[in-house]
Amino acid sequence: MTIEKRKLKKPEVLAPAGTLEKLKTAIHYGADAVYIGGNAYGLRSRAGNFSYEEMAEGVAYAKEHQAKVYVAANMVTHEGDAKGAGEFFRELRTIGISAVIVSDPALIEICATEAPGLPIHLSTQASATNYETLEFWKEEGLERVVLAREVSMAEVAEIRKNTSIEIEAFIHGAMCISYSGRCTLSNHMSFRDANRGGCSQSCRWKYELYDMPFGTERKTFTDQGIEEPFSMSAVDMSMIEHIPDLVENGVDSLKIEGRMKSIHYVSTVSNVYRAAIDSYVEDPENYVCKQEWIDELWKVAQRELATGFYYQKPSEEEQLFGPRRKIPVYQFVGEVMAYNEETKIATIRQRNHFRVGDEVEFYGPGFHHFHQKVEAMWDEEGEPIDRAPNPMMLLTMPVSQPVAIGDMIRKKK
């Protein structure tokens, strides 16, 4: 007697795309959707925000690969900031953007009235932490709510039981030390408004702590008597070991943070979560979180990793202080631009310095990996070289296994 497998709804893998290159990379490596920024109304003024022409190219590429493109327009508007928003949203609707991610009720109202038919998602900046809030936004016509990053897994389960609106939740990337990203440190310390796109990440600066008894300044020290600078910053989030909880609690979209991160980060993280989600939905009863997925994420981690607020209140272990507890050891060095099957020669665009004799790792979509030593290299004129020192230079090299356009190369530092 055969036991019928449970049918689970597969959640969307939603990846960040700060540039057109990152958009294509994320989709190539398994993302079902990407979120980008336009030239206005977003919170990442230093990300490679998209022009209308770039959006159109991105949407065309996404549709070709059955993926979606969302635009973040999640700034908090002051007087005058919303000028031109109606035209902006109408243009996004014409381009074919799948939804806009908004937090400010003024922008929500403008989008709903001046660009009807363009779906609206509520940004995490709006701090949605209970199902009554989600029901309110559902009644206002929104299709999806991005939960606040302060929500626990138990609260996710309760929210899902009591509302049918789509739920999106962060699963990987940077955490903000302030509630749902609403911070004024940057405003006070560098005169850059974090809630209008100018965050200078003041929480990640290094600080010294002073005790000032009776007007006398004195630096504080650790128990070992060592002066220790600290930040007001959290470690990053990683939910790779908890995919079953997210799927079983009905989260519709699993969101990766990082529009300002590299294509190395975007490709790796999208690849890992694609593999894990597919594996769980395919056979939940026999699912195992593979150690290779966890190891893969550490290859692009910039900080320590934890589960944020999902399972407990973060302690000092979820804060950044003192020396690094785990240091990244991999460096992104190149991308495959072409491959000749007959000669087994790959054309590589260099992204960081590497040389003949280095041990490198190739990886591609679908979790295809292999290691090899760089035996030889030739420049664009076919002349042999012993190293690739120039940024973005093209070179060729023999590879021990077949590769494909878009495969990436990294090495240990």
Side-chain angles (χ1 to χ4, degrees):
M1 177 180 177
T2 58
I3 300 174
E4 187 175 344
K5 291 182 180 179
R6 282 194 300 137
K7 292 184 178 179
L8 295 170
K9 181 182 177 182
K10 184 181 291 188
E12 170 185 87
V13 176
L14 176 55
T19 64
L20 191 55
E21 179 188 35
K22 294 173 189 175
L23 179 152
K24 294 178 179 179
T25 297
I27 293 171
H28 183 60
Y29 277 80
D32 299 298
V34 296
Y35 61 100
I36 67 175
N39 286 324
Y41 314 111
L43 287 182
R44 289 291 182 270
S45 61
R46 289 179 294 158
N49 293 317
F50 285 58
S51 65
Y52 291 137
E53 292 76 16
E54 289 171 325
M55 285 185 187
E57 184 177 344
V59 167
Y61 181 87
K63 287 183 176 178
E64 184 183 342
H65 295 84
Q66 294 77 53
K68 297 178 180 180
V69 179
Y70 308 137
V71 171
N74 52 345
M75 73 181 297
V76 176
T77 58
H78 290 222
E79 292 300 335
D81 287 341
K83 184 178 180 181
E87 181 182 353
F88 176 75
F89 290 130
R90 286 192 296 272
E91 189 66 35
L92 300 191
R93 183 182 61 182
T94 300
I95 289 170
I97 293 299
S98 294
V100 289
I101 307 167
V102 190
S103 65
D104 193 308
L107 289 178
I108 291 173
E109 180 71 12
I110 291 169
C111 183
T113 56
E114 299 202 30
L118 177 60
I120 304 172
H121 297 172
L122 187 73
S123 169
T124 190
Q125 295 287 122
S127 306
T129 56
N130 57 75
Y131 72 81
E132 292 91 345
T133 297
L134 272 70
E135 280 291 285
F136 169 84
W137 289 112
K138 178 184 174 183
E139 291 171 7
E140 291 296 306
L142 274 64
E143 294 189 0
R144 179 186 293 182
V145 169
V146 187
L147 296 178
R149 273 175 268 194
E150 294 78 21
V151 171
S152 70
M153 190 61 70
E155 289 171 325
V156 173
E158 188 69 14
I159 289 169
R160 179 73 292 165
K161 288 176 186 175
N162 289 282
T163 182
S164 61
I165 194 171
E166 288 187 5
I167 293 173
E168 181 176 306
F170 279 91
I171 59 165
H172 197 92
M175 294 284 286
C176 184
I177 204 68
S178 294
Y179 204 99
S180 296
R182 294 181 297 181
C183 176
T184 57
L185 282 177
S186 178
N187 302 57
H188 290 292
M189 295 181 174
S190 59
F191 302 103
R192 287 166 46 176
D193 194 335
N195 298 294
R196 288 196 282 174
C199 183
S200 59
Q201 298 195 1
S202 306
C203 62
R204 299 204 186 277
W205 299 354
K206 292 295 183 182
Y207 295 89
E208 293 174 338
L209 187 63
Y210 287 84
D211 184 17
M212 302 173 67
F214 310 107
T216 303
E217 292 188 4
R218 179 174 63 86
K219 283 188 179 182
T220 59
F221 296 87
T222 66
D223 291 341
Q224 291 78 32
I226 302 170
E227 180 186 333
E228 185 174 278
F230 70 97
S231 71
M232 291 180 278
S233 188
V235 304
D236 287 357
M237 175 192 289
S238 176
M239 288 292 287
I240 187 59
E241 297 182 66
H242 304 281
I243 294 301
D245 284 352
L246 293 158
V247 176
E248 297 290 345
N249 284 316
V251 179
D252 298 282
S253 179
L254 306 183
K255 188 169 194 172
I256 300 162
E257 183 276 338
R259 275 194 286 145
M260 296 176 68
K261 303 282 182 65
S262 68
I263 62 170
H264 180 212
Y265 171 90
V266 170
S267 60
T268 300
V269 179
S270 299
N271 212 14
V272 168
Y273 282 101
R274 172 83 281 149
I277 292 163
D278 288 353
S279 177
Y280 183 71
V281 173
E282 172 64 26
D283 190 2
E285 316 307 328
N286 297 299
Y287 174 81
V288 175
C289 179
K290 297 180 180 179
Q291 184 62 42
E292 64 181 350
W293 297 337
I294 300 170
D295 294 342
E296 190 78 358
L297 291 177
W298 277 107
K299 293 177 183 179
V300 293
Q302 295 181 326
R303 306 176 188 97
E304 291 79 19
L305 300 174
T307 56
F309 289 82
Y310 278 118
Y311 297 104
Q312 69 279 317
K313 290 183 179 179
S315 70
E316 69 277 6
E317 291 302 314
E318 283 74 53
Q319 304 301 308
L320 291 176
F321 63 92
R324 290 293 298 265
R325 285 164 275 180
K326 192 163 184 176
I327 299 173
V329 294
Y330 279 85
Q331 183 178 42
F332 175 43
V333 297
E335 179 184 8
V336 176
M337 308 303 293
Y339 173 63
N340 188 312
E341 293 184 7
E342 293 183 4
T343 62
K344 294 182 173 53
I345 298 292
T347 301
I348 308 297
R349 184 175 297 283
Q350 187 260 37
R351 294 299 185 118
N352 273 299
H353 180 277
F354 68 106
R355 62 174 63 242
V356 172
D358 282 349
E359 182 83 19
V360 296
E361 177 189 6
F362 284 82
Y363 71 93
F367 236 72
H368 170 66
H369 289 67
F370 69 92
H371 293 80
Q372 73 162 72
K373 182 177 286 188
V374 179
E375 302 288 354
M377 292 191 291
W378 299 271
D379 64 18
E380 287 188 76
E381 283 72 43
E383 296 296 322
I385 53 176
D386 64 355
R387 59 196 179 98
N390 302 321
M392 303 298 284
M393 69 181 290
L394 284 174
L395 59 100
T396 54
M397 59 178 281
V399 290
S400 60
Q401 294 185 30
V403 293
I405 296 172
D407 285 1
M408 307 287 182
I409 316 169
R410 59 185 164 217
K411 70 170 185 176
K412 284 191 174 182
K413 294 182 180 178

